[in-house]
Amino acid sequence: MRSAISRYTKGKVFVVIDAANLESSVKDLGWWVDYVKLCELFDGGNLYGIRFYCVHHNTENQDKFFVFLKHHGYTLVTKPLKIIKQADIEAGDIRKANFDVEIAVDAISMMEEFATFILFSGDSDFNYLLKELKKSGKRIIVISTRNRTAKELVQTADQYIDLVSVKDLIQRKS
């Protein structure tokens, strides 16, 4: 594991990627993630698991991407996009694909297997989960961009890492 993150970890590491949150964060910054490099950040033998939570659109390109991720050690948790029709046509449809419950259930059910929980998301909904993991002695690391990370997560985490600070380690080159 590279020292940029490994200095903040202890024991087995469980990495959770809220794909929609991560992808929109890096898109705002004008770059893309190289998922091989991202996984290699945690290749020092202490990786318990790395999970990628993402909407499944059933496209050929996305299916190829999912095969690629699996080949590189990721466990995928996917579900279809839910479209909620609105009575008011002008309001437009509501598109939902939230993975908060899946992430929380997975983290709690696997809690005995890891010592460090790394969350790639800034969503404040995860604060309750992080507090519960800390009560059980887990080390918490949150990685996201400053403008997309809830202050509660920064306060609860043992370590907050701004995504910009690991850009050189995980950026996809053109």
Side-chain angles (χ1 to χ4, degrees):
M1 190 183 301
R2 297 187 185 174
S3 63
I5 294 177
S6 64
R7 64 180 173 216
Y8 304 119
T9 65
K10 68 174 185 182
K12 290 289 183 189
V13 176
F14 183 38
V15 180
V16 168
I17 300 168
D18 178 350
N21 192 286
L22 176 59
E23 289 293 332
S24 61
S25 293
V26 296
K27 183 179 178 187
D28 287 351
L29 295 170
W31 52 280
W32 298 104
V33 174
D34 181 325
Y35 285 99
V36 173
K37 289 180 181 178
L38 190 148
C39 191
E40 287 173 351
L41 286 177
F42 311 101
D43 67 0
N46 287 337
L47 182 62
Y48 164 70
I50 185 166
R51 289 192 172 219
F52 189 82
Y53 296 80
C54 183
V55 170
H56 193 189
H57 296 287
N58 290 312
T59 65
E60 186 178 336
N61 279 347
Q62 188 185 47
D63 289 344
K64 287 178 184 177
F65 177 62
F66 286 169
V67 168
F68 169 85
L69 288 176
K70 287 179 188 177
H71 178 75
H72 286 89
Y74 288 81
T75 298
L76 301 179
V77 179
T78 66
K79 63 183 172 186
L81 181 67
K82 183 175 183 177
I83 299 174
I84 302 168
K85 298 287 184 187
Q86 296 293 305
D88 179 1
I89 294 174
E90 290 187 26
D93 296 337
I94 296 173
R95 301 163 64 87
K96 292 186 64 130
N98 195 313
F99 283 89
D100 297 0
V101 172
E102 290 86 348
I103 289 170
V105 168
D106 288 353
I108 295 298
S109 68
M110 296 178 216
M111 192 166 39
E112 298 304 316
E113 306 301 323
F114 63 87
T116 301
F117 183 76
I118 299 178
L119 176 66
F120 278 86
S121 180
D123 188 337
S124 65
D125 291 341
F126 292 119
N127 198 46
Y128 189 81
L129 168 64
L130 299 186
K131 286 180 178 180
E132 289 300 308
L133 292 172
K134 278 190 85 163
K135 282 182 197 174
S136 296
K138 305 304 175 192
R139 183 150 183 76
I140 307 296
I141 300 171
V142 172
I143 304 174
S144 189
T145 55
R146 188 60 77 176
N147 63 336
R148 285 185 172 260
T149 305
K151 65 181 179 191
E152 302 92 335
L153 294 187
V154 175
Q155 293 166 349
T156 300
D158 294 298
Q159 185 66 43
Y160 165 75
I161 299 172
D162 192 321
L163 200 51
V164 173
S165 71
V166 294
K167 175 183 178 181
D168 290 342
L169 299 174
I170 65 170
Q171 180 181 17
R172 185 172 72 203
K173 302 298 180 199
S174 298

